[in-house]
Amino acid sequence: MLKQHLQFKLSQKLSPQQIQLMKLIQLPTLAFEQRLKQELEENPALETGKEEVETQEDEFGDIYDNETDSENIAAEDINIDEYLSDDEVPDYRTQANNYSSDDEERTIPYAAGVSFTQYLINQLNTVYLSDDEWAIAEFLVGSVDESGYIRRAISDITDDLAFTQNIYTDEKTVEKILRIVQELDPPGVGATSLEECLIIQLKRKEPTPSTDLAIAILEKSFEQFTKKHYTKLIQKHNVSEETLKDAISEIERLNPKPGGSYSGNNRMVEHIVPDFSIRITDGELELTLNGRNAPELHVSREYNNMLEGYKNAKDKSKSQKDTVMFIKQKLDAAKWFIDAIKQRQQTLYVTMNSIMNYQKEYFMTGDERKLRPMILKDIADEIGMDVSTVSRVANSKYVDTPYGTRLIKDYFSESMKNEQGEDVSTKEIKKILETVIGEEQKRKPLTDDKLAAILKEKGYPIARRTVAKYREQLGIPVARMRKEI
């Protein structure tokens, strides 16, 4: 049996302009500069820099008053007053006094160089290899991941050489060439396991009793080492505790991810440019928006002259009218972009100003224990904006403070109640947890149960599983892995 029913659904669609504005708000400073450059290249009616303003009458208002043909454009379609200003300081200026100039940051260096793979291949050029050996070595280098490891079985690599490269060889030959690849820099590259990676690095060092013992531990007692069963290691290798400590110290100085140390790998080095700056002046907080987010934009005067030429022309041809339509389109786009930049600046400033005032006690002292619990909705409600807008600002913008440069979202945190029933930030609890772990006896690290008990004594009654969650978020391993001798 078929049934009919009526369903009402309320939906709101964002206009293309609103979507573009949201994207502009989300862009950090460097990406915004690229977007601005792109717009300037694509729209000749938009120019940057300080314009030489001339006082002029409203001479374009009646540009189409005498036109009656149906093909003509109505006068109201192009209101030049919307794009120009007669003021000495035009209102399209997007530069304001509360934006810092940051002139010294005009040029941002970017890392340049070859890829990690090419870096390894360049080293291979110095090694004498036959054509077949070179092809195998090149294939092995291409199998090295960004951490510096070859994580595929030798048998699989041998099969791939046959199927994809028409190189028919055996595993013994591939292993022989692999040893050559493992002699390349950085030390440890081309290893097939963590154990092998550490051993390769140790064998590159000058032999000492400590390095010899370290190699023996990795080769014969790797599992006991990873589990920190120090008593078993002392018994198995028949060494003193001090000798074992020296060997373990050698291992801890090694690089478990040799590929990560190469700065010219496939990932571009990220340069952080703060979007805001907070300073303490005469006991008060002072917020400035990076001046690079506040460019000086204006409409091209050449386009105004073109309109004036059309106005003064006696005979207005079809091609001239098409040109005016093109000019109108570009003027509309230029005006919208200038307005969007203004809205972006206002949104960024208002949002960060609200965050700064909300966390005033922290910004005045730098004490993370003074951070108040704060979620996106708290700021959104205060400034009358959508939570998604605040999120776009918080998740992509950095602020330079007297205590360092940080991502704005780092100042947001959930809350929980202490024994006095007061709301405290989870960041405050994590800071205390980090301090407690930092002061523990490394020979006998505190378990999560003991950490929970200590936090409870300090007035923060949280469960063991919550302690474990916070510890993991701080990147701190379990007690057994924190043990030292």
Side-chain angles (χ1 to χ4, degrees):
M1 181 178 177
L2 295 175
K3 290 185 178 180
Q4 289 183 328
H5 66 279
L6 190 62
Q7 181 179 7
F8 292 95
K9 185 178 181 182
L10 182 63
S11 64
Q12 181 181 9
K13 290 185 178 181
L14 293 176
S15 68
Q17 288 81 5
Q18 288 173 310
I19 294 173
Q20 288 299 316
L21 176 59
M22 289 299 102
K23 288 181 178 179
L24 281 175
I25 290 173
Q26 190 166 353
L27 293 177
T29 298
L30 288 180
F32 169 70
E33 287 184 328
Q34 291 299 314
R35 176 68 180 86
L36 176 63
K37 181 181 178 182
Q38 178 187 352
E39 190 70 22
L40 287 167
E41 289 175 351
E42 294 177 355
N43 190 350
L46 184 67
E47 291 183 350
T48 186
K50 204 167 186 177
E51 184 193 21
E52 296 180 4
V53 181
E54 297 177 5
T55 304
Q56 56 184 352
E57 298 295 327
D58 181 14
E59 56 184 352
F60 301 119
D62 60 347
I63 191 169
Y64 302 114
D65 285 353
N66 298 325
E67 301 291 337
T68 56
D69 190 275
S70 60
E71 288 184 283
N72 294 339
I73 306 164
E76 59 269 18
D77 283 349
I78 304 181
N79 185 353
I80 304 303
D81 288 337
E82 293 180 2
Y83 307 100
L84 305 177
S85 170
D86 296 336
D87 298 336
E88 195 66 31
V89 181
D91 60 9
Y92 55 71
R93 282 278 303 278
T94 54
Q95 183 78 26
N97 292 331
N98 62 343
Y99 304 145
S100 59
S101 60
D102 293 322
D103 290 334
E104 70 280 3
E105 294 181 348
R106 288 291 176 185
T107 303
I108 296 295
Y110 286 90
V114 297
S115 67
F116 186 33
T117 301
Q118 189 60 49
Y119 173 68
L120 297 175
I121 289 176
N122 289 345
Q123 294 180 64
L124 276 180
N125 289 325
T126 65
V127 181
Y128 177 77
L129 296 169
S130 66
D131 290 345
D132 286 345
E133 288 174 335
W134 169 265
I136 295 171
E138 186 179 30
F139 190 84
L140 287 169
V141 165
S143 301
V144 174
D145 66 16
E146 61 181 14
S147 295
Y149 288 82
I150 294 178
R151 303 186 188 273
R152 303 181 61 214
I154 298 297
S155 58
D156 292 341
I157 292 175
T158 304
D159 290 340
D160 278 357
L161 282 167
F163 292 128
T164 65
Q165 306 295 317
N166 289 325
I167 299 174
Y168 298 93
T169 185
D170 53 40
E171 293 181 22
K172 187 176 180 181
T173 303
V174 174
E175 287 178 354
K176 172 190 166 187
I177 303 301
L178 177 60
R179 300 292 168 255
I180 295 174
V181 171
Q182 290 175 347
E183 292 175 4
L184 303 177
D185 288 328
V189 70
T192 58
S193 65
L194 173 61
E195 178 183 356
E196 186 177 36
C197 177
L198 299 177
I199 291 172
I200 290 171
Q201 293 179 59
L202 284 170
K203 287 184 175 179
R204 292 270 196 103
K205 290 191 169 188
E206 189 72 27
T208 65
S210 295
T211 57
D212 290 343
L213 178 57
I215 292 171
I217 289 172
L218 293 174
E219 289 180 339
K220 301 173 183 177
S221 312
F222 187 69
E223 186 176 353
Q224 287 95 334
F225 167 72
T226 56
K227 292 182 178 179
K228 297 199 172 185
H229 292 163
Y230 297 134
T231 304
K232 292 182 180 179
L233 290 174
I234 290 172
Q235 293 173 351
K236 183 173 181 178
H237 295 273
N238 192 25
V239 294
S240 67
E241 185 176 296
E242 193 63 31
T243 302
L244 178 64
K245 187 175 181 180
D246 291 340
I248 290 175
S249 178
E250 287 284 352
I251 297 173
E252 289 177 342
R253 286 198 289 266
L254 303 175
N255 185 359
K257 293 184 178 182
S261 64
Y262 179 69
S263 61
N265 56 19
N266 293 328
R267 296 188 305 273
M268 178 176 283
V269 176
E270 180 183 8
H271 294 272
I272 295 174
V273 175
D275 303 270
F276 305 93
S277 176
I278 292 178
R279 291 291 177 263
I280 301 173
T281 306
D282 297 330
E284 293 294 330
L285 294 174
E286 183 180 90
L287 173 68
T288 55
L289 176 63
N290 190 325
R292 294 160 65 170
N293 288 290
E296 294 179 329
L297 299 174
H298 60 265
V299 177
S300 169
R301 184 161 293 279
E302 285 186 26
Y303 268 53
N304 302 335
N305 295 337
M306 290 168 66
L307 288 176
E308 185 176 10
Y310 178 81
K311 171 197 167 186
N312 296 330
K314 295 182 180 179
D315 297 322
K316 297 178 173 59
S317 66
K318 178 69 167 61
S319 62
Q320 286 178 310
K321 293 168 186 173
D322 291 340
T323 301
V324 170
M325 280 300 295
F326 172 81
I327 293 174
K328 177 188 180 301
Q329 184 184 37
K330 294 302 180 182
L331 286 175
D332 286 340
K335 179 179 181 297
W336 174 85
F337 192 75
I338 291 172
D339 289 342
I341 298 303
K342 287 182 182 179
Q343 291 182 58
R344 177 182 185 272
Q345 292 167 206
Q346 183 180 15
T347 301
L348 296 187
Y349 191 84
V350 168
T351 304
M352 188 63 225
N353 190 60
S354 176
I355 293 171
M356 181 184 71
N357 291 328
Y358 199 97
Q359 301 289 5
K360 183 175 182 179
E361 198 172 356
Y362 161 75
F363 285 116
M364 291 296 292
T365 63
D367 187 350
E368 290 197 3
R369 290 172 295 181
K370 300 290 180 66
L371 278 171
R372 296 172 57 190
M374 179 177 69
I375 59 176
L376 296 172
K377 191 173 185 302
D378 293 330
I379 301 302
D381 290 345
E382 186 171 313
I383 62 179
M385 291 185 182
D386 193 83
V387 171
S388 63
T389 302
V390 177
S391 176
R392 283 180 170 86
V393 175
N395 289 331
S396 59
K397 306 292 184 296
Y398 286 84
V399 58
D400 179 29
T401 75
Y403 324 107
T405 299
R406 290 177 61 177
L407 192 61
I408 294 171
K409 74 173 183 180
D410 290 346
Y411 299 116
F412 288 82
S413 65
E414 299 289 340
S415 66
M416 67 159 290
K417 294 188 181 296
N418 60 16
E419 287 188 336
Q420 287 73 42
E422 301 169 333
D423 284 333
V424 294
S425 169
T426 54
K427 285 189 177 293
E428 177 181 340
I429 300 172
K430 288 179 184 178
K431 189 68 177 178
I432 294 171
L433 176 63
E434 194 174 24
T435 302
V436 170
I437 293 175
E439 295 173 351
E440 70 184 0
Q441 293 183 10
K442 296 306 178 184
R443 282 177 169 268
K444 197 175 182 181
L446 299 168
T447 63
D448 290 342
D449 283 320
K450 290 181 180 178
L451 289 171
I454 292 173
L455 286 173
K456 186 175 182 181
E457 290 175 6
K458 292 180 177 291
Y460 304 97
I462 59 176
R464 184 206 62 80
R465 63 180 179 275
T466 307
V467 170
K469 182 178 77 171
Y470 291 169
R471 176 179 52 72
E472 290 171 359
Q473 289 174 350
L474 289 168
I476 299 174
V478 296
R480 177 173 55 80
M481 299 305 294
R482 301 199 303 274
K483 185 178 179 182
E484 296 178 4
I485 59 172

